[in-house]
C-alpha cells in the first residue's frame, strides 16, 4: 500500500516537472523568435510604413540607424561601398554626423574621400553623404558615389584648358604677325615673309578646329548608323594619297602590302580618317629618305575573324613612359617637333575613338631609334555589328594598350646619294 502511494507521488512530481520544463522551453522559444537576426536587420518592423519601399528604389546607398547606432536597414549598395560591416556603420565621420543629427535634428551633408576596398593602389572613392532624422528614433544616411562624376569633370576641365592653350598660340602669333606686316608696309620682302608665316599659323588654326570637330563627331555619333562594307585596299590607297606630298618632300618611300580583298564594316569616312592619321604621323615623325609600310591581314579571334592594319615607320620611336599616354588628347611625345610638323595632339585620340566605336582596338609597338608600329584591329565585315555593340565606352576604359608587334621592324634606311 505504501509502495503504491510512493509510486503515485513520484509520477505526480514527474508530471509537474515536465509541465514546468515545457512551459520554460516555450517561453525561451518565444524570446528567441523575438531576438533580431542578421536578416531581420534589413526588414525590422520599426521602420515607418512605406520607407522600406522608398529606400529600395533610390540610386543612393541608404542606411538607417537606430538610437544605439545599430543598422536597421541597409541597401546592397551600402554593403558594396563598405559602409556597413557587422551590422554597424563602418565610416567614423558618417557615424559622427548621424549622432549629431540624432541629438539636434539638423540635416547635415558632407563630401568625403573613402579608401577603395579590394585594391592596393590607394585609390579613393569620392562620396557625398547626407544625414537626416527619420521619425523620433531613427536616422537616415544617404550616400552618393561621385567618383565617376569627378573624373568626367576633371577630363572636361583639362580638355577646356588644353583647347584654350592650343587656340591661344596660333591666334597670338597671327596678331603679332599682322602688326609686323603693318610696320613693314614699305618693305615688300618683309611683308612677303610675314605673310608666309601668317599662312602657316592660319593653317595650323584651321587644322586644330577641324580636328576638334572630328573628335566631337566620333565621340557623339554612332558610326554604324551609316555603315557599309569598306574595302581595306581603298582605305590604304586613300591614306597613302593623303600623305603623298609630305612623303615626297622628305623623300620617304611608302609601301603597301599584305592580304588583298579584305573588307571591314563601318563608316568609311571615319575609318579613312583614322588610318590617314596614323600614316601622316609616321611620315611626319620619320627622318628623310626612310620608308613607311602599311600591311593588312586577316587573323583568327574569339567571336570572329579580325582585320589587322599595321603602319610601320623608321622614325624616332616612343619611350615606354610616353606609350602609356600617346592616345590622350593633346599629348605630344615631342612638343618641339609637333610645332614643326603642325601637329595638334588630337590625331591619335581620334584614332582611338574611331576604332573603339567600330568594335576594335589600337595598339602600339615601339623602340627608341628603331621606329614604331601602330596596329588597328577591326572586325571583318559580317561580325562588326556585334563587336561594336558589345564594346564599352572608350572614355571609361584604360588607354589603348602596348604590345609586341607581330610585324618585323623595317630594315635600317639606306641613305640615298
Amino acid at each position: 500500500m505504501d509502495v503504491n502511494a510512493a509510486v503515485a507521488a513520484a509520477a505526480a512530481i514527474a508530471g509537474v516537472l515536465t509541465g514546468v520544463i515545457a512551459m520554460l522551453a516555450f517561453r525561451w522559444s518565444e524570446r528567441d523568435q523575438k531576438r533580431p537576426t542578421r536578416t531581420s536587420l534589413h526588414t525590422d518592423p520599426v521602420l515607418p510604413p512605406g520607407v522600406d519601399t522608398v529606400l529600395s528604389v533610390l540610386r543612393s546607398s541608404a542606411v538607417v540607424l537606430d538610437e544605439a547606432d545599430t543598422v536597421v536597414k541597409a541597401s546592397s549598395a551600402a554593403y558594396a561601398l563598405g559602409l556597413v560591416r557587422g551590422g554597424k556603420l563602418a565610416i567614423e565621420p558618417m557615424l559622427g554626423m548621424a549622432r549629431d543629427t540624432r541629438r539636434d535634428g539638423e540635416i547635415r551633408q558632407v563630401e568625403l574621400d573613402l579608401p577603395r576596398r579590394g585594391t592596393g593602389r590607394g585609390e579613393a572613392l569620392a562620396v557625398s553623404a547626407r544625414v537626416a532624422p527619420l521619425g523620433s528614433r531613427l536616422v537616415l544616411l544617404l550616400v552618393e558615389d561621385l567618383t565617376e562624376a569627378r573624373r568626367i569633370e576633371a577630363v572636361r576641365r583639362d580638355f577646356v584648358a588644353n583647347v584654350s592653350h592650343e587656340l591661344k598660340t596660333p591666334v597670338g602669333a597671327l596678331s603679332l604677325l599682322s602688326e609686323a606686316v603693318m610696320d613693314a608696309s614699305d618693305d615688300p620682302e618683309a611683308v612677303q615673309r610675314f605673310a608666309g608665316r601668317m599662312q602657316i599659323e592660319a593653317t595650323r588654326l584651321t587644322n586644330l578646329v577641324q580636328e576638334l570637330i572630328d573628335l566631337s563627331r566620333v565621340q557623339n555619333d554612332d558610326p554604324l548608323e551609316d555603315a557599309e562594307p569598306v574595302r581595306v585596299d581603298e582605305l590604304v590607297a586613300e591614306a597613302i594619297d593623303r600623305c603623298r606630298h609630305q612623303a615626297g618632300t622628305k623623300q620617304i618611300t611608302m609601301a603597301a602590302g599584305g592580304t588583298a580583298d579584305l573588307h571591314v564594316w563601318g563608316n568609311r569616312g571615319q575609318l579613312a580618317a583614322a588610318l590617314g592619321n596614323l600614316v601622316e604621323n609616321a611620315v611626319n615623325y620619320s627622318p628623310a629618305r626612310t620608308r613607311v609600310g602599311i600591311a593588312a591581314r586577316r587573323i583568327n579571334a574569339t567571336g570572329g575573324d579580325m582585320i589587322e592594319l599595321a603602319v610601320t615607320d623608321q622614325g624616332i620611336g616612343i619611350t615606354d613612359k610616353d606609350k602609356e599616354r600617346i592616345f590622350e588628347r593633346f599629348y605630344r611625345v615631342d612638343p618641339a617637333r609637333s610645332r614643326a610638323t603642325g601637329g595638334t595632339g588630337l590625331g591619335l585620340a581620334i584614332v582611338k575613338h574611331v576604332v573603339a566605336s567600330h568594335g576594335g582596338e589600337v595598339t602600339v609597338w615601339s623602340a627608341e631609334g628603331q621606329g614604331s608600329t601602330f596596329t588597328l584591329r577591326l572586325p571583318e565585315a559580317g561580325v562588326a555589328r556585334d563587336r561594336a555593340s558589345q564594346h564599352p565606352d572608350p572614355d571609361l576604359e584604360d588607354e589603348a594598350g602596348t604590345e609586341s608587334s607581330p610585324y618585323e621592324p623595317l630594315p635600317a634606311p639606306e641613305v640615298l646619294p
Side-chain angles (χ1 to χ4, degrees):
M1 191 71 173
D2 294 338
V3 174
N4 292 335
V7 171
I13 293 172
V16 171
L17 291 176
T18 301
V20 171
I21 293 173
M23 181 179 66
L24 291 175
F26 180 77
R27 293 279 181 88
W28 279 108
S29 176
E30 285 188 328
R31 182 178 298 180
D32 288 340
Q33 290 178 358
K34 293 179 180 179
R35 184 176 300 166
T37 62
R38 179 178 178 85
T39 303
S40 66
L41 291 175
H42 302 276
T43 58
D44 199 297
V46 299
L47 285 176
V51 172
D52 192 15
T53 302
V54 173
L55 296 182
S56 65
V57 299
L58 288 178
R59 296 181 59 184
S60 305
S61 303
V63 180
V64 179
L65 304 174
D66 62 13
E67 63 272 16
D69 293 332
T70 301
V71 176
V72 176
K73 169 73 179 179
S75 65
S76 58
Y79 283 98
L81 286 178
L83 304 180
V84 178
R85 299 174 193 169
K88 295 289 186 179
L89 184 61
I91 310 301
E92 189 61 34
M94 296 181 186
L95 188 58
M97 291 172 56
R99 290 168 178 169
D100 293 340
T101 296
R102 187 184 299 111
R103 184 179 62 253
D104 56 24
E106 182 180 349
I107 298 175
R108 288 174 169 81
Q109 183 168 352
V110 68
E111 292 188 2
L112 300 170
D113 291 331
L114 306 180
R116 189 187 296 270
R117 299 181 63 189
T119 63
R121 295 177 291 178
E123 297 179 357
L125 287 171
V127 299
S128 174
R130 184 178 179 87
V131 179
L134 186 63
S136 58
R137 298 174 49 244
L138 305 178
V139 173
L140 173 63
L141 170 67
L142 296 177
V143 179
E144 189 77 22
D145 188 353
L146 304 178
T147 307
E148 185 63 20
R150 282 193 180 181
R151 188 191 72 82
I152 294 174
E153 180 60 30
V155 170
R156 183 183 296 111
R157 184 170 56 250
D158 292 344
F159 182 75
V160 171
N162 286 328
V163 168
S164 301
H165 174 75
E166 295 296 332
L167 289 174
K168 182 179 179 181
T169 301
V171 169
L174 286 172
S175 177
L176 293 174
L177 289 169
S178 64
E179 293 179 5
V181 168
M182 294 178 63
D183 294 339
S185 57
D186 56 346
D187 186 351
E189 184 178 347
V191 169
Q192 187 175 6
R193 184 172 67 255
F194 291 141
R197 290 292 307 277
M198 291 178 67
Q199 188 174 13
I200 293 174
E201 296 298 333
T203 301
R204 179 176 300 176
L205 182 60
T206 301
N207 292 339
L208 175 59
V209 172
Q210 184 59 51
E211 290 200 343
L212 286 172
I213 294 172
D214 293 341
L215 180 60
S216 175
R217 181 179 296 116
V218 300
Q219 286 180 318
N220 297 326
D221 293 350
D222 181 3
L224 298 186
E225 286 185 357
D226 301 319
E228 59 179 337
V230 181
R231 287 180 57 91
V232 174
D233 294 341
E234 294 178 358
L235 294 178
V236 173
E238 187 173 337
I240 292 176
D241 188 62
R242 168 179 169 176
C243 305
R244 192 178 302 279
H245 175 71
Q246 297 97 308
T249 302
K250 299 173 68 175
Q251 299 182 36
I252 292 176
T253 301
M254 291 191 292
T259 307
D261 199 28
L262 299 177
H263 293 77
V264 293
W265 183 275
N267 184 294
R268 178 187 176 83
Q270 291 190 13
L271 292 173
L275 184 60
N277 284 347
L278 291 182
V279 176
E280 186 175 12
N281 273 0
V283 171
N284 288 337
Y285 286 89
S286 292
R289 302 178 180 180
T290 56
R291 186 169 57 168
V292 171
I294 309 171
R297 66 174 184 172
R298 179 187 292 109
I299 60 173
N300 295 325
T302 303
D305 290 345
M306 303 284 285
I307 303 301
E308 193 173 79
L309 280 162
V311 179
T312 304
D313 63 56
Q314 296 172 290
I316 59 176
I318 306 170
T319 65
D320 291 337
K321 175 178 65 70
D322 289 323
K323 278 191 287 189
E324 298 176 357
R325 301 190 58 190
I326 56 174
F327 292 95
E328 296 178 10
R329 303 175 186 90
F330 296 109
Y331 185 79
R332 296 182 176 91
V333 173
D334 185 352
R337 181 180 290 268
S338 294
R339 285 193 294 270
T341 60
T344 64
L346 291 174
L348 292 181
I350 293 174
V351 172
K352 183 193 72 170
H353 281 278
V354 168
V355 175
S357 64
H358 282 75
E361 63 175 348
V362 55
T363 57
V364 57
W365 172 92
S366 185
E368 290 186 82
Q370 299 183 36
S372 305
T373 298
F374 285 84
T375 304
L376 305 181
R377 292 190 182 92
L378 296 165
E380 190 173 16
V383 298
R385 284 196 182 103
D386 297 336
R387 286 294 186 99
S389 63
Q390 296 172 3
H391 200 282
D393 187 346
D395 266 338
L396 305 182
E397 291 188 318
D398 293 332
E399 300 298 336
T402 61
E403 64 171 27
S404 298
S405 172
Y407 300 93
E408 293 295 330
L410 291 174
E414 298 180 1
V415 179
L416 300 178

